[in-house]
Amino acid sequence: MVETYTPTAMQLTDGAVQKILSLSESEEININLRVYVTGGGCSGFQYGFSFDKIVDEEDTCVTKSGANLVVDPLSLQYLSGSTIDYIEDLTGSKFIIKNPNATTTCGCGESFSI
């Protein structure tokens, strides 16, 4: 029997949705949270976040409750199945990624290896 692998889309938590929507309201336009992967960091790959008004044709877009997450095709292969959250704690506030594909991460959680 042959099994087929179907990658799961990325997910946004309610905290991430609320932050994206509040930033969109303050900008008075609908902005997208773009998540991407670059080489570097102490573990090999590094997560990046930006806010983008434009969605490219080849981007994957995940929408939840009006909030949009955008990922380019190259980054999606490393982020498929991940969950994007937004936290506020004693160290500050930030978007974080829970990536099931990462085999190791650095202490701050901003870089990973596969």
Side-chain angles (χ1 to χ4, degrees), residues 5-11 60 62 76 79-83 100-101:
Y5 172 72
T6 304
T8 58
M10 297 176 64
Q11 298 178 15
T60 296
V62 176
L76 185 61
L79 297 171
S80 182
S82 296
T83 300
N101 305 306

Side-chain angles (χ1 to χ4, degrees), residues 41-62:
C42 47
S43 293
F45 293 105
Q46 189 169 315
Y47 299 118
F49 298 94
S50 65
F51 292 100
D52 202 342
K53 298 174 189 172
I54 298 172
V55 177
D56 294 328
E57 212 174 276
E58 58 276 347
D59 286 338
T60 296
C61 187
V62 176

Side-chain angles (χ1 to χ4, degrees), residues 2-46:
V2 176
E3 291 185 32
T4 303
Y5 172 72
T6 304
T8 58
M10 297 176 64
Q11 298 178 15
L12 287 168
T13 65
D14 292 339
V17 167
Q18 290 174 359
K19 187 61 177 178
I20 294 167
L21 292 176
S22 72
L23 291 170
S24 290
E25 287 173 7
S26 68
E27 294 290 321
E28 297 182 0
I29 58 165
N30 194 18
I31 60 173
N32 306 299
L33 175 63
R34 181 174 291 279
V35 179
Y36 56 92
V37 173
T38 60
C42 47
S43 293
F45 293 105
Q46 189 169 315

Side-chain angles (χ1 to χ4, degrees), residues 50-98:
S50 65
F51 292 100
D52 202 342
K53 298 174 189 172
I54 298 172
V55 177
D56 294 328
E57 212 174 276
E58 58 276 347
D59 286 338
T60 296
C61 187
V62 176
T63 302
K64 179 179 178 183
S65 302
N68 296 321
L69 171 70
V70 178
V71 185
D72 65 88
L74 181 62
S75 298
L76 185 61
Q77 66 183 332
Y78 300 110
L79 297 171
S80 182
S82 296
T83 300
I84 310 301
D85 195 6
Y86 182 80
I87 61 166
E88 293 181 14
D89 59 19
L90 295 174
T91 61
S93 58
K94 62 183 175 180
F95 286 99
I96 60 168
I97 298 177
K98 296 173 187 167

